[in-house]
């Protein structure tokens, strides 16, 4: 059996970023850039006003106060989207709106709140200092700057930047097409009453959601009963995808057909069994460009295998530069033990305490069928094999799953 780290290295070693495609800007959210993005222009492209107010020459305001305001002659009004060629001369002011270009000659903008307009003149009761309230051309981005890099994730700020530099279309990495299959003769979908011995398929829904959360659009191919031919038919269809995710049927039970079917369909097995609990019988292989993950059937094992192995593989496939989820050290708030001879991936509530450190507590019963342990968790901790007993205050590796709920 290989360790979690070895298994992850092996899996990631098989993964290549999908080739670039060109998409309209609004379809790129959540994708990885497949190109470096440069700006052709200064942004903002021209000096402009940061305030509604008056564009003036700083020298005309020296010493202006409420008691002795500077009185300047009003020349014109410049609105956002407008332009002015007319220079502001000594003793003059141009009324200007936020975002409007600063006219030649002016070097300062005075906000409207410290002024009073009367009979073609403006009285200014404050000297904000030369250069005040002017946004300089290129202060955000200079022409020629590389604003984004290949492998960067496109989020709201990045989409805004792409729009700012004028990109209506963007080269991004492709998104993997994913097939999901649940195996098990005991499984029925929700919406169907349970007969004796049956349970509801939850795995295809957790896998579906995990993929959808990543912006992917997986196909749930259905439930394959534990029979060779039905399993084969469905897995064969799943091998047309970039990634096939199956749950169940990878153990040593008499009706576990997934590995046998994979073999018969020419899937090269690269991994079976990882020294972790839950999730030990994970099987990973490939056929051509298709990557095949067979998670065990236990609902927690499915989600843990996804977080530890499948997510980083998908993220790398999507072309992101960072695809390994960072681990942080966390303090145990209660004793834990691991007598399994495998790393115990425990579901926890993690919280950043006032001491600046992350603290963790178990979510309760940790059986691999107890899906509520995932519902209650915002993190996973990794209890090493050689830890028959760990005491409160000792540190473990923590993988945060849901930062925003802490
Ligand atoms: P297996 O890995 O096929 O031996 O399944 C292990 C356990 O997970 C069994 O108790 C199954 O009933 C359960 N299980 C398998 N597939 C699913 C599924 N899709 N949804 C919920 N539980 C499942
Ligand atoms: Mg099964």
């Amino acid at each position: 059996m290989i360790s979690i780290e070895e298994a992850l290295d092996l899996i990631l070693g098989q993964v290549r970023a999908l080739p670039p495609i060109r998409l309209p800007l609004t379809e790129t959210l959540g994708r990885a850039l497949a190109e470096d993005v440069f700006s052709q222009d200064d942004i903002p492209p021209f000096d402009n006003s940061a305030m509604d107010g008056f564009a003036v020459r700083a020298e005309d305001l020296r010493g202006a106060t409420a008691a002795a305001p500077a009185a300047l002659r009003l020349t014109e009004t410049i609105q956002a989207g407008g332009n002015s060629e007319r220079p502001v001369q000594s003793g003059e002011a141009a009324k200007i709106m936020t975002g409007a270009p600063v006219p030649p000659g002016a070097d300062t903008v005075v906000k409207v709140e410290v002024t009073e307009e009367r009979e073609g003149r403006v009285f200014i009761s404050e000297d904000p200092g030369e250069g005040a309230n002017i946004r300089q051309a290129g202060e955000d981005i200079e022409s020629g700057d590389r604003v984004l890099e290949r492998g960067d994730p496109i989020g709201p700020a990045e989409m805004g930047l792409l729009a700012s530099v004028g990109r209506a279309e963007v080269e991004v990495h492709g998104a993997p097409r994913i097939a999901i299959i649940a195996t098990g003769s005991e499984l029925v979908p929700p919406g169907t009453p349970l007969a004796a011995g049956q349970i509801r398929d939850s795995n295809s829904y957790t896998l579906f959601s995990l993929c959808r959360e990543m912006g992917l659009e997986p196909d749930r191919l259905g439930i394959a009963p534990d029979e060779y031919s039905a399993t084969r038919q469905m897995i064969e269809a799943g091998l047309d995808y970039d990634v096939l995710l199956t749950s169940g049927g990878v153990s040593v039970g008499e009706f576990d057909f997934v590995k046998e079917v994979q073999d018969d369909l020419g899937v090269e097995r690269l991994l079976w069994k990882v020294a972790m609990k839950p999730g030990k019988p994970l099987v990973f292989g490939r056929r051509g460009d298709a990557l095949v993950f067979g998670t065990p059937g236990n609902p927690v094992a499915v989600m843990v295998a996804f977080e530890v192995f499948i997510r980083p593989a998908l993220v790398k496939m999507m072309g992101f530069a960072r695809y390994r989820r960072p681990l942080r050290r966390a303090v145990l708030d209660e004793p834990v033990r691991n007598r399994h001879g495998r790393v115990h991936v425990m579901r926890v509530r993690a919280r950043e305490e006032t001491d600046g450190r992350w603290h963790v507590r178990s979510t309760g019963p940790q059986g691999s069928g107890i899906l509520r342990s995932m519902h209650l968790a915002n993190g996973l901790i990794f209890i090493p094999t050689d830890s028959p007993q760990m005491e409160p205050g000792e540190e473990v590796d923590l993988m945060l799953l849901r930062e925003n709920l802490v």
Side-chain angles (χ1 to χ4, degrees), residues 41-114:
D41 313 299
D42 281 344
I43 298 174
F46 48 87
D47 291 357
N48 69 91
S49 177
M51 291 282 179
D52 294 323
F54 297 88
V56 301
R57 301 166 73 102
E59 67 208 25
D60 287 346
L61 298 188
R62 297 269 151 73
T65 62
L72 302 177
R73 191 160 29 80
L74 267 179
T75 54
E76 60 175 336
T77 299
I78 312 165
Q79 60 184 113
N83 203 0
S84 172
E85 316 279 75
R86 187 187 187 293
V88 172
Q89 313 279 3
S90 184
E92 291 180 346
K95 195 174 199 175
I96 193 166
M97 305 302 142
T98 304
V102 175
D107 55 18
T108 302
V109 168
V110 185
K111 64 184 177 191
V112 71
E113 289 85 343
V114 298

Side-chain angles (χ1 to χ4, degrees), residues 181-188 197-207 223 226 247-253 255-256 258 281 295-302 368-369 371:
I181 297 171
T183 76
S185 294
E186 73 279 31
L187 302 176
V188 293
Q198 291 184 328
I199 62 164
R200 296 203 176 86
D201 161 33
S202 62
N203 292 341
S204 72
Y205 297 91
T206 52
L207 287 171
I223 297 171
D226 295 316
S247 86
V250 289
S251 258
V252 291
F255 302 98
D256 287 342
V258 170
T295 70
N298 281 307
V300 179
V302 169
S368 56
L371 196 47

